[in-house]
Amino acid sequence: MKGICEKEMAYESGFNQKRPISLVRGKGARVWDAQGREYIDCIGGHGVAIVGHANPEVAEAIAAQARKLLVCPGSFCNDVRAELLGELVRIAPAGIARAFLCNSGAEAVEAALKIARLLTGRKRLVAAMRGFHGRTMGALSVTWRKEYRAPFEPLVPEVHFVPYNDVTALEEVLSGGDVAGVILEVVQGEGGVIPGKGEYLKEAQELCRKTGALFIVDEVQTGFGRTGRMFACEHHDLEPDLLCLAKGIAGGVPMGVVLIHERLGRMPPRRHGSTFGGSPLACAAALAAIRFIVRERLPQRAAELGAYFIERLRGLDSPAIREVRGLGLMVGVELKGKAGPYLSGLAERGVLALSAGATVVRFLPPLVISQKELDRVVDAFSEVLP
Ligand SMILES: Cc1ncc(COP(=O)(O)O)c(C=O)c1O
């Protein structure tokens, strides 16, 4: 009989570079493969599994909603959607008044870029070098890595990249007063787990306000407790005009959101939309996930366990490590060589981690992970390091 990987790879597009592991079950911060082998999951579906795998409260909410109403277009109102929108605005950073619901991080970014052009009547967009915002044409246009962009050019025109954490470069590009929006991550994830400096991000916001550009913050990876605060914006008291979210918002069910500052008002009807955006199923899952995150104080847990994890990783005395950095449970270890062999070594020892660029090993565990499990991750890492 054919194995799962063999069967899947026979028909899969090929875009996904596969690891030879078939994951079939999960619970909390652990997953199991088809042979019953257990792993501590520090990939968490690329940072999605914030509330843990098979979270019973999310599972129950999904099952109950599936029996009640799966589909309700945005042109009608719905009880769970109304509830979720209220909850999102309640937990959002100061100034947020509305939300647009969609289905993924890239879609949230697309919507934010369109809103920036729509409301300012300007075309220019500014993004950061090493930034990552998604793979659809608009989101890709503001994504830095050349290998991702080059085969698909021409992309959206009038995108300008500036070095991250560099106020002068931003001042210069905004001085013309013709920029529709500036999009930044608070911690660059895919770019190598690079935390933004507080003064830089605050100055970026200030410059946007002064020059009439919208300040767009992409918290697709950092949102919902990952960095030790509900939103990474809160570390620096930021009040973005548009805040993009996705990943863990609905406990694993696809959902994206753009949170909208009150000063932008209500969006003009029919200028943007999505068939599946805000489906009652995703809304029910999101409500259950957010209630779990709030009640279990997962942001605080991420802050405490993240500090512990980073300290333990910094204690690994290996010539292969260049730097350990991160915020909360978004952690990167920059190595002097390629990350790939270390990721394989970790997997052989029952730990799943991912890369962030060629030389960074990235850990994005579920926020329900225990200290003991993090100790096991550090022990496994120490075994694969020289
Ligand atoms: C910061 C950031 N923005 C956008 C995206 C794109 O999200 P999605 O893969 O859901 O389209 C990602 C995905 O990793 C991300 O990390």
Side-chain angles (χ1 to χ4, degrees):
M1 210 176 71
K2 271 190 187 172
I4 295 171
C5 279
E6 217 182 326
K7 268 200 227 166
E8 185 168 326
M9 280 153 88
Y11 300 111
E12 208 263 347
S13 67
F15 281 135
N16 288 299
Q17 216 172 10
K18 300 277 186 198
R19 299 200 202 186
I21 298 174
S22 305
L23 300 177
V24 295
R25 190 163 64 85
K27 188 159 181 50
R30 317 253 179 127
V31 285
W32 285 267
D33 71 12
Q35 287 73 43
R37 178 138 198 249
E38 182 185 285
Y39 300 86
I40 298 178
D41 184 12
C42 292
I43 298 178
H46 292 194
V48 168
I50 281 173
V51 297
H53 292 287
N55 182 293
E57 292 175 36
V58 174
E60 186 48 45
I62 292 171
Q65 190 60 42
R67 285 191 289 267
K68 196 173 153 208
L69 185 70
L70 277 177
V71 181
C72 172
S75 48
F76 289 80
C77 296
N78 171 260
D79 54 347
V80 247
R81 192 192 295 139
E83 194 76 19
L84 173 66
L85 289 168
E87 189 72 9
L88 280 171
V89 170
R90 195 182 66 73
I91 64 165
I96 295 296
R98 296 180 189 283
F100 169 74
L101 300 174
C102 51
N103 310 288
S104 68
E107 266 188 65
V109 169
E110 294 287 333
L113 299 179
K114 284 178 75 178
I115 292 171
R117 283 193 167 174
L118 183 68
L119 298 191
T120 63
R122 302 172 180 178
K123 294 192 172 52
R124 276 190 112 188
L125 296 163
V126 174
M129 291 171 183
R130 301 186 78 162
F132 182 86
H133 301 288
R135 311 271 198 157
T136 54
M137 293 298 257
L140 187 60
S141 305
V142 289
T143 286
W144 169 245
R145 248 166 99 175
K146 200 165 180 332
E147 311 91 271
Y148 293 161
R149 280 185 304 144
F152 305 102
E153 287 171 344
L155 296 169
V156 173
E158 302 208 30
V159 175
H160 189 96
F161 288 96
V162 289
Y164 192 57
N165 279 333
D166 179 342
V167 175
T168 315
L170 207 49
E171 250 164 6
E172 215 167 284
V173 69
L174 285 165
S175 64
D178 62 348
V179 172
V182 174
I183 182 161
L184 295 173
E185 292 159 89
V186 180
V187 181
Q188 290 189 321
E190 184 80 12
V193 189
I194 302 167
K197 294 193 181 115
E199 324 87 78
Y200 169 73
L201 294 162
K202 279 198 92 86
E203 192 58 30
Q205 174 173 299
E206 196 55 36
L207 285 167
C208 285
R209 295 278 200 274
K210 267 197 220 151
T211 59
L214 297 198
F215 182 50
I216 307 167
V217 173
D218 181 346
E219 286 222 40
V220 166
Q221 196 164 137
T222 53
F224 296 102
R226 168 67 58 199
T227 68
R229 304 293 290 264
M230 184 59 90
F231 300 104
C233 274
E234 295 167 22
H235 289 287
H236 313 296
D237 293 324
L238 300 175
E239 279 195 30
D241 292 307
L242 299 168
L243 180 59
C244 301
L245 301 166
K247 295 232 190 248
I249 181 175
V253 174
M255 178 175 252
V257 181
V258 184
L259 295 180
I260 305 169
H261 198 277
E262 62 191 349
R263 71 189 199 90
L264 303 186
R266 195 185 277 276
M267 296 299 112
R270 294 193 301 279
R271 290 288 197 272
H272 189 58
S274 159
T275 296
F276 288 118
S279 81
L281 182 78
C283 290
L287 262 179
I290 291 170
R291 284 175 180 155
F292 186 87
I293 292 168
V294 171
R295 195 192 64 231
E296 298 299 320
R297 303 169 75 208
L298 293 190
Q300 193 176 328
R301 190 179 168 86
E304 287 162 11
L305 286 177
Y308 171 80
F309 186 42
I310 288 174
E311 195 185 304
R312 281 227 49 204
L313 287 169
R314 284 190 178 139
L316 290 175
D317 185 24
S318 166
I321 295 180
R322 200 181 289 280
E323 192 185 19
V324 177
R325 53 180 183 254
L327 200 56
L329 281 171
M330 180 171 180
V331 177
V333 180
E334 179 153 2
L335 301 162
K336 290 180 186 158
K338 298 256 182 241
Y342 294 99
L343 298 179
S344 307
L346 281 170
E348 280 161 23
R349 287 161 182 78
V351 172
L352 300 180
L354 69 167
S355 64
T359 57
V360 176
V361 170
R362 179 171 34 156
F363 298 96
L364 296 172
L367 307 187
V368 295
I369 197 166
S370 68
Q371 189 166 318
K372 262 202 180 130
E373 286 167 328
L374 287 172
D375 283 336
R376 276 179 52 190
V377 173
V378 178
D379 292 346
F381 205 19
S382 75
E383 283 175 36
V384 300
L385 286 165

